[in-house]
Amino acid sequence: MHILVTGGAGYIGSHTCVELLAAGYQVTVIDNLSNSKQAALRRVSEITGREPDFVRADLRDRMTLDALFRDRGFDAVVHFAGRKAVGESVQIPLEYYENNVGGTLALCKAMAKVGIRKLVFSSSATVYGDPASVPIREDFPTCPTNPYGRSKLFIEEILHDLYRSDDTWNIALLRYFNPVGAHRSGRIGEDPNGVPNNLMPFIAQVAVGKRSRLRVFGDDYDTSDGTGVRDYIHVTDLAKGHLKALERLSANPGIVPYNLGTGRGYSVLEMVRAFERASGRSVPFDIVGRRPGDIAICYADPGLASAELDWTADLGIEEMVRDTWRWQSQNPDGYE
Ligand code: NAD
Ligand code: UD1
């Protein structure tokens, strides 16, 4: 099987390339390197002993895309490419819609042209917005609160319309909870540009001495210790979920959303303490006000993915912080 991986040089994409290559798939990556480095793919080759083909191009470049689909004989597509920073999406919403929605439209048109109709799409738990209760099931109402989240929901809707127009499409909408961690080798991991927005890379940069203190956004939520609770999932478990989804598409399931989470929530302070244990470093922090748009608690009911994809997360918080630390301490400046 030959898989086209869009955005395959990025954080989740590179880990998924490792699992695909290790499982014997042929892999071609298309990425414009707008938020990643080609070094990640060199390290994917180093880990697996196999090389993904790499095409540096924008997904919206229809000429390149059409030529790729015509020449390479792909069997399915795993689609990661897109922009993902919530705050930035509020500042430049049109860029987000153009890239995320426009890229997906270009991709689907190119796929339809050559009759490839198996697609695994990176959606997000952010489509649920602030859920009325937890754990969150796939049939909960969707109500994203920012342009990034809406771009994901619009894409889900577009893919539903596509399926209604032609039910030979098979599409898995994977709603990720909070991806963290790194490959256990320490060779690939998350390499954010500038100041990290997300908790785990921020904690890791404090522990390694790149930043002085963590700011904990609020300790007055209705949670065990007052700090926000999230369903952190190891990126290797997440990557494996994509292989399970690809297998599932061969059974012609139509279009189905799946939560990819562990089903267990941890607070900010629990993550800080776990990281301190794993790294042997202290992570000094200050409690500050809530971050606008944040919710108190978010964790998945991963039952559907377990039942239909035969997928559950194997790795726990200890592996998540251990592998993040290995990556961060061995690559303090990321891929630079
Ligand atoms: P990432 O930024 O590391 O990877 C995305 C990749 O896509 C990058 O390599 C970037 O260069 C590439 N890209 C962006 N626009 C492109 C375009 N127009 N053409 C070609 N390449 C393009 O992000 P990630 O964390 O690996 O996330 C992958 C996907 O998962 C994204 O769609 C993201 O929205 C989604 N997601 C991520 C998270 C998370 O917390 N990391 C959570 C939920 C969903
Ligand atoms: C963020 C995104 C969400 C995306 C998800 C996974 C926002 C508003 N939401 O969610 O759309 O799907 O990442 O990538 O950005 N925290 C701190 N200090 C920090 C950073 C975070 O205390 O410096 C806290 C947050 O308040 C939250 C928890 O840590 O309680 C996790 O934050 P983060 O990693 O940013 O993920 P989400 O808020 O879940």
Side-chain angles (χ1 to χ4, degrees), residues 6-14 30-37 55 57-61 79-85 98-100 103 121-126 148 151-152 174-180 190-191 198 235 238 242:
T6 79
Y11 172 45
I12 306 169
S14 56
I30 179 170
D31 200 303
N32 63 6
L33 302 181
S34 57
N35 197 37
S36 54
K37 309 241 165 38
V55 178
D58 194 290
L59 202 55
R60 293 160 294 176
D61 172 355
H79 176 31
F80 295 105
R83 300 178 77 145
K84 64 166 184 176
E98 186 171 87
N99 196 357
N100 295 3
F121 171 62
S122 296
S123 189
S124 169
T126 202
Y148 163 68
S151 77
K152 291 292 176 187
L174 302 185
R175 295 174 175 167
Y176 312 153
F177 281 67
N178 289 59
V180 296
E190 188 170 10
D191 182 17
N198 296 117
V235 65
L238 191 64
H242 294 73

Side-chain angles (χ1 to χ4, degrees), residues 152-185:
K152 291 292 176 187
L153 186 59
F154 293 162
I155 294 168
E156 288 199 5
E157 295 291 341
I158 289 166
L159 295 174
H160 276 284
D161 284 338
L162 182 60
Y163 175 73
R164 283 184 203 107
S165 74
D166 176 355
D167 66 6
T168 63
W169 280 85
N170 287 290
I171 302 170
L173 306 170
L174 302 185
R175 295 174 175 167
Y176 312 153
F177 281 67
N178 289 59
V180 296
H183 189 263
R184 64 179 184 283
S185 64

Side-chain angles (χ1 to χ4, degrees), residues 3-29 40-41 44 47-48 50 52 77-80 120 122 174 176 179 182-183 188-189 234-246 260 335:
I3 311 296
L4 177 67
V5 181
T6 79
Y11 172 45
I12 306 169
S14 56
H15 288 79
T16 303
C17 286
V18 166
E19 300 304 322
L20 287 167
L21 290 164
Y25 288 93
Q26 189 182 346
V27 173
T28 295
V29 167
L41 293 176
V44 165
I47 292 168
T48 60
R50 298 188 57 210
V77 178
V78 182
H79 176 31
F80 295 105
V120 178
S122 296
L174 302 185
Y176 312 153
H183 189 263
I188 56 172
H234 196 293
V235 65
T236 294
D237 275 332
L238 191 64
K240 289 179 176 168
H242 294 73
L243 276 70
K244 293 291 192 179
L246 280 172
L260 296 188
Y335 291 109

